[in-house]
Amino acid sequence: GPCVAVFGRKDYQQLQVIRYMTTEMSFAVEIVPAPTLREADGLAMSSRNQYLQGDERDTAVEIIRTLRAMQAAARAGRALREIEEAAAARLGNAGFVLDYAEVRRADLTRPKSAQEPGLLALVAARLGRTRLIDNLPFDED
């Protein structure tokens, strides 16, 4: 059987579920996270992007901008609630219907502070008929 399985970091929650299942079921498979591939403007590459219509493609870039703003706010010492509320407002103002914009630990549990090491920001939102997801570890530039 396979000894390595590669899963993209773009769907971070899926990656974590696969890691958990592999460990719990004692599969002898190494799970290797692959980096999120991005378009030149920062939009995460996804087959879902083909469903973006008209100006939606330009608007979709607001997700990575919001993730970067969340990262910067955490580095500036902002509170979790403030970071998440600002992200939700920013995406809502851009025309997204938000599922979530949250800061989490690598294991997806809620941190006590946005200044904890190893955090990431996660976003899922609909733009028109397209649901887009992305994430950004706070320790990446």
Side-chain angles (χ1 to χ4, degrees):
C3 55
V4 174
V6 180
F7 286 84
R9 288 184 55 101
K10 182 176 162 294
D11 191 338
Y12 190 82
Q13 291 91 326
Q14 173 184 275
L15 173 62
Q16 290 304 91
V17 168
I18 296 297
R19 283 177 165 165
Y20 176 80
M21 288 174 40
T22 302
T23 300
E24 287 298 305
M25 299 175 97
S26 300
F27 290 147
V29 176
E30 178 187 1
I31 303 302
V32 176
T36 301
L37 299 178
R38 298 190 178 279
E39 302 288 345
D41 60 6
L43 180 65
M45 290 184 181
S46 173
S47 59
R48 297 177 188 187
N49 294 350
Q50 69 182 327
Y51 300 115
L52 296 169
Q53 299 185 4
D55 292 340
E56 291 175 347
R57 172 59 184 77
D58 294 333
T59 303
V61 178
E62 191 59 33
I63 289 179
I64 188 61
R65 291 178 186 147
T66 299
L67 289 166
R68 289 178 181 147
M70 294 171 77
Q71 178 189 55
R75 289 178 176 171
R78 302 280 194 296
L80 281 170
R81 185 173 169 182
E82 181 183 347
I83 293 168
E84 292 171 348
E85 287 175 355
R90 181 177 181 146
L91 290 167
N93 290 338
F96 289 88
V97 176
L98 189 66
D99 288 338
Y100 56 82
E102 298 180 350
V103 176
R104 291 286 185 250
R105 293 182 181 118
D107 67 1
L108 298 176
T109 58
R110 185 134 178 96
K112 294 183 191 305
S113 161
Q115 287 69 53
E116 287 182 24
L119 300 182
L120 70 155
L122 300 121
V123 166
R126 293 187 184 281
L127 187 58
R129 64 183 186 147
T130 309
R131 184 172 187 265
L132 301 169
I133 60 172
D134 202 350
N135 67 80
L136 182 67
F138 284 175
D139 56 3
E140 282 186 13
D141 288 324

